[in-house]
Amino acid sequence: MASTPAPLLHEQAYIDGQWTSAASGRTFPVKDPANDALIGRVPDMDAADVTRAIEAAHAAFPAWSTALAADRAAILKRWHAAVTAHGRELAEIMTRECGKPLAESIGEVRYGASFIDWSAEQARRVNGEIIPTDQRSRRLLVLRQPVGVVAAITPWNFPLSMITRKVSPALAAGCTVVLKPAELTPFTALALAQLAEEAGLPAGVLNLVTTTDAKRVGGVMSTHPLVRKVTFTGSTAVGKLLMAQAAGTVKKISLELGGNAPFLVFDDADIDAAVEGAIASKFRNSGQTCVCANRVLVQEGIAEAFIPRFTAAVERLKVAPGLEEGAQVGPMIDDKGVAKVMRLLQDAIAHGAQVATGGKAHALGGRFIEPTVLTGVTQAMACTREEIFGPVAPVQTFRTEAEGIALANDTVFGLAAYFYARDSARIWRVGEALEYGMVGINTGLISTAVAPFGGVKESGIGREGSTHALEEFTEMKYLSLAGLG
Ligand code: SIN
């Protein structure tokens, strides 16, 4: 990584305040998905390493959990300042390991840093309650205490912000953390850990384990008795497994899982705004985002006007390696991702979908796919049920508002939904009827540290961000103080 100053590129994991190798000495390579160039190697840790990390987090918990909230907040504020100051280097590392366009990585550093800042502020607002008593001789109080050691497992598609969205509220609440970043994107995580160390985070409070054996290491994280909370962002299949494993020791759990976001355009929508919103929502991170529009549902009365304008906007997107000037759509993260998108494309075409633009591998080769619009899409096609996770926009039409809502809700997922409309009564009706944890109305971008992020149905449990963020990392303790006369 010639343009990245070496100090932020760590090839060791971080346990108990020490930069460390795997006990086995094994390492694994991390490559740029745009060209397979080697970025570096990191330790390939196993059950013994992650157990050491959990024990370190457990040992650090008494001092960290009883530190003054203001002192925890001050360290988080310094971490925020360091992340902001190193924004460009972090963004370059991120683009190299996950392929997203540099402009998006720079945006993600800002977005990710905002969770640290927000959590620092919230650290001092973990208030308890005093309940009006039911007996003259006693008083009833509720404390909110940190839950204990937190196991955080994060994905490759947002290598920085999914870490700060979990780790900073956990630390603010007084928890200690063992973090396992995705195998494909460990360098952003390691750089974040270095900046946390420089900000004064004590040894053992944040531990970072890199591995290719997510199954084994995640198994230890979700079953170890010293871990009291598991927080995970990733696929619904893995989320279900972690939930089942965590049940053995009844851990608290937060899951941000898959989505199948509908993007509805009603007859009364502002077409230009809807096109802009659909591009922003669908093609963010080349479509590899849990909250990406997965299906575009257009009401018949506006379809003829919307589809050509949307298709023309998709055709203007610049496909290029993430570090190239003006890149808007980068490569898929890996060959598995490419194969899935291609399978869904072929299935849709075989079931009668028409390709309005794109529809095949990009001339750049490798993991680049042409930004694609499919029309004539029906519920018979797998792309309406599965998360595409690529730059393909299937367009379906519907007749009535009720039909649009029914199509939108016809999924086991319930993370994000979007719709464009102008009529205020419709806005309320549709907003209330969509079975999703988050609904973007006349916007394709909804994510912010100050609002609750999370899904319903098989899209997850719990919320991240907002004033509720720290609740997920605390337990309520009821004190009944009797004998007061
Ligand atoms: C995700 O795709 O999981 C996160 C997207 C976001 O925070 O906006």
Side-chain angles (χ1 to χ4, degrees), residues 444-457:
L445 297 173
I446 51 177
S447 305
T448 161
V450 304
F453 188 104
V456 299
K457 295 158 79 178

Side-chain angles (χ1 to χ4, degrees), residues 309-382:
R309 282 199 230 178
F310 177 53
T311 305
V314 172
E315 280 166 351
R316 287 194 294 273
L317 291 170
K318 176 171 174 178
V319 180
L323 288 177
E324 194 173 305
E325 188 63 35
Q328 290 173 297
V329 177
M332 298 287 92
I333 186 71
D334 59 12
D335 295 340
K336 228 167 72 191
V338 174
K340 181 179 187 187
V341 174
M342 288 306 178
R343 171 176 64 78
L344 292 173
L345 257 175
Q346 281 151 17
D347 169 83
I349 293 165
H351 283 86
Q354 293 99 53
V355 178
T357 187
K360 55 185 190 305
H362 192 271
L364 282 173
R367 304 190 179 94
F368 292 89
I369 294 178
E370 288 185 345
T372 297
V373 176
L374 298 175
T375 57
V377 170
T378 68
Q379 292 296 91
M381 301 172 190

Side-chain angles (χ1 to χ4, degrees), residues 111 155 157-158 161-162 165 233 284 288-291 447 453:
Y111 174 50
N157 62 338
F158 286 85
S161 56
M162 295 306 98
R165 193 158 81 183
T233 294
R284 182 173 170 226
Q288 301 171 110
T289 304
C290 301
V291 292
S447 305
F453 188 104

Side-chain angles (χ1 to χ4, degrees), residues 198 235 320 345 405 416 471:
E198 287 174 11
S235 73
L345 257 175
I405 292 168
E471 285 165 19

